[in-house]
């Protein structure tokens, strides 16, 4: 995996201090910790309803001392922003040619030297949608890593890491259980999110 802001000395420490202070001043509460058993894991990013999710996610990751990578649509990686987005942990995804993404992501997780958490938004878009994509699930199964139920609730101003979910192999039942966990949370644009 490529070098990111989370592995850059000094910058990492400065941004962590800023993130912790900013979140506290603005009334956000950060919950949970990442257990050693999930040092390599797939993190669900839900609800995902706004462009503001990225900066808040980065700050929460700094506050929790995570080493994250996140998937984003290829369009936001166009010049002149590609280098910055990659440094922030971004992995460009061309939705129309994403058929090999699961295998490539799983291989990268397995090959990573040290802790790494891959953030995947199950909706696959900020737009209103009812259907979750199952890529996050299949990446975790293929890489043999747990799924961490990460959340961001704008209404209550709380974000963090919830349950560790180990896939059972019953995709339909597992997705239903994961959606039930997310049902109470409100995204920034809450009307665009449905966990049913």
């Amino acid at each position: 995996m490529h070098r990111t802001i989370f592995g850059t000395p000094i910058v990492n420490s400065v941004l962590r201090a800023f993130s912790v202070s900013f979140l506290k001043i603005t009334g956000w509460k950060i919950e949970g910790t990442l257990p050693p058993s999930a040092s390599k894991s797939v993190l669900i990013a839900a609800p995902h309803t706004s462009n503001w999710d990225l900066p808040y996610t980065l700050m929460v990751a700094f506050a929790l001392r995570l080493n994250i990578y996140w998937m984003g649509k290829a369009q936001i990686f166009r010049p002149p922003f590609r280098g910055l987005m990659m440094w922030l942990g971004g992995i460009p995804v061309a939705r129309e040619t994403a058929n090999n993404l699961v295998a490539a992501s799983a291989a990268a997780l397995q090959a990573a030297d040290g802790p790494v958490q891959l953030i995947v938004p199950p909706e696959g878009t900020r737009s209103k949608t009812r259907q979750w994509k199952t890529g996050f699930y299949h990446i975790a199964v293929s890489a043999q890593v747990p799924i961490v139920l990460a959340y961001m609730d704008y209404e209550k101003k709380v974000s963090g890491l919830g349950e560790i979910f180990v896939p059972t192999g019953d995709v339909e039942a597992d997705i239903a259980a994961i959606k039930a966990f997310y049902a109470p949370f409100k995204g920034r644009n809450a009307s665009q999110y449905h966990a049913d």
Side-chain angles (χ1 to χ4, degrees):
M1 296 223 173
H2 58 275
R3 182 180 179 87
T4 72
I5 197 168
F6 297 97
T8 304
I10 302 174
V11 174
N12 179 306
S13 298
V14 170
L15 288 176
R16 181 176 187 275
F18 168 81
S19 298
V20 169
S21 299
F22 179 87
L23 291 167
K24 186 175 182 179
I25 289 168
T26 55
W28 280 82
K29 181 181 178 185
I30 307 303
E31 301 176 332
T33 57
L34 189 71
S37 62
S39 63
K40 283 188 180 182
S41 51
V42 171
L43 272 62
I44 295 179
H48 178 41
T49 63
S50 166
N51 285 331
W52 284 104
D53 293 344
L54 177 58
Y56 277 105
T57 295
L58 295 175
M59 287 189 286
V60 170
F62 277 119
L64 291 172
R65 298 181 185 273
L66 302 179
N67 182 34
I68 66 165
Y69 290 80
W70 49 272
M71 294 183 176
K73 61 182 179 180
Q75 290 88 332
I76 66 173
F77 290 85
R78 290 176 179 158
F81 302 108
R82 181 178 176 81
L84 173 63
M85 290 304 209
M86 298 284 285
W87 191 50
L88 292 176
I91 298 172
V93 176
R95 292 173 182 159
E96 61 279 4
T97 59
N99 53 348
N100 199 30
L101 188 61
V102 169
S105 299
L109 272 173
Q110 289 177 322
D113 184 17
V116 59
Q117 300 83 48
L118 178 63
I119 297 179
V120 185
E123 302 101 318
T125 177
R126 296 181 319 276
S127 303
K128 189 171 185 176
T129 181
R130 287 185 176 272
Q131 187 67 39
W132 275 21
K133 298 182 182 299
T134 57
F136 74 90
Y137 185 94
H138 296 294
I139 291 169
V141 170
S142 297
Q144 297 182 316
V145 300
I147 296 169
V148 180
L149 306 186
Y151 55 88
M152 188 169 295
D153 190 326
Y154 283 85
E155 184 176 76
K156 295 179 181 175
K157 284 196 167 183
V158 61
S159 183
L161 303 176
E163 302 174 22
I164 304 298
F165 189 91
V166 179
T168 67
D170 185 337
V171 180
E172 191 173 320
D174 286 352
I175 296 295
I178 292 170
K179 282 186 172 185
F181 172 85
Y182 282 100
F185 299 116
K186 305 292 184 189
R188 186 177 178 90
N189 299 313
S191 64
Q192 293 180 196
Y193 178 73
H194 296 278
D196 56 355

